[in-house]
Amino acid sequence: NPTKQISKVMEELDEAIIKGNSIHELREANEINGEILNDIIYMSKEKLFVEEIEDFVSNRIASVFLVRKIAVSLLNKGAKVAPALGLLGTVIGLIEVLQSLEDPTKIGPAMSLALMTTAFGSVLGSLFFTPLAGRLEHHNNMYVDTHKLLMNRVSVLIRREDRQIDSLKMNKKLDMNA
């Protein structure tokens, strides 16, 4: 579940917003290490614009989303192929049934093969691949939405910090002019 992975980060950001803390107070962030909040803080320390950080995060999210979307596609294909393979096994089992009509002891195992492959194909398609694909697709949507919320919080903190820096600069200019 993608929200579980990022909920602690969201709580950190919420706390910083509520307490009026700077985003730089959350972590050291001395390098890009793949952990999203660490990377955002590092880029902010490097004086990247909010838009550049948003682009970076959006690209990272898009690349992960694409991989996850491919996984959904493969699961959906598995859901379509499994019943077809089950039917193929049924046909093979029925061929064996017809070939064993002379020996009634062979009819049972051949019929068992025919019915079992149908059952396995149906179970795999309907009870495994389809629900798994649906769940992963739902998680993909949650993944994107969660990261949008994360970026909104980050944006609030970075813009707040920019406003504070701007007001400090303005106060210094006013002091110098006075």
Side-chain angles (χ1 to χ4, degrees):
N1 188 338
T3 56
K4 285 183 182 177
Q5 295 173 347
I6 204 155
S7 63
K8 185 172 173 113
V9 172
M10 299 283 257
E11 289 172 8
E12 281 183 73
L13 291 169
D14 286 343
E15 189 174 326
I17 290 170
I18 291 168
K19 290 183 176 180
N21 295 340
S22 164
I23 192 167
H24 300 140
E25 295 172 7
L26 294 174
R27 301 192 182 161
E28 284 296 314
N30 296 323
E31 63 182 17
I32 299 280
N33 68 4
E35 198 273 314
I36 194 143
L37 185 57
N38 180 78
D39 296 351
I40 290 168
I41 294 169
Y42 177 79
M43 289 183 284
S44 176
K45 284 182 177 181
E46 293 295 313
K47 306 293 186 220
L48 271 69
F49 294 114
V50 174
E51 294 78 14
E52 294 171 313
I53 296 172
E54 286 174 346
D55 287 345
F56 175 83
V57 172
S58 295
N59 287 333
R60 182 183 287 175
I61 292 167
S63 65
V64 172
F65 181 77
L66 180 62
V67 169
R68 295 171 66 108
K69 193 172 179 179
I70 290 169
V72 169
S73 176
L74 289 174
L75 288 170
N76 282 327
K77 286 183 181 167
K80 292 176 185 173
V81 169
L85 290 176
L87 289 176
L88 178 64
T90 301
V91 170
I92 292 170
L94 290 176
I95 291 171
E96 282 190 39
V97 167
L98 294 174
Q99 289 176 344
S100 62
L101 286 177
E102 295 168 358
D103 185 5
T105 59
K106 293 182 180 177
I107 292 176
M111 188 57 110
S112 175
L113 173 69
L115 296 175
M116 289 301 290
T117 57
T118 302
F120 284 134
S122 297
V123 166
L124 279 175
S126 299
L127 299 178
F128 179 73
F129 289 120
T130 300
L132 201 55
R135 185 171 173 92
L136 186 56
E137 190 166 13
H138 174 69
H139 281 195
N140 285 348
N141 293 332
M142 288 173 51
Y143 178 79
V144 170
D145 292 342
T146 302
H147 280 81
K148 285 180 185 175
L149 293 173
L150 172 90
M151 265 322 294
N152 287 341
R153 285 168 170 83
V154 167
S155 184
V156 165
L157 286 171
I158 292 173
R159 287 194 167 102
R160 176 191 296 163
E161 192 166 307
D162 288 345
R163 284 192 308 270
Q164 289 171 346
I165 290 170
D166 288 344
S167 68
L168 287 173
K169 286 179 184 177
M170 190 63 87
N171 288 338
K172 284 183 183 179
K173 284 183 183 179
L174 290 174
D175 290 342
M176 291 175 75
N177 291 336

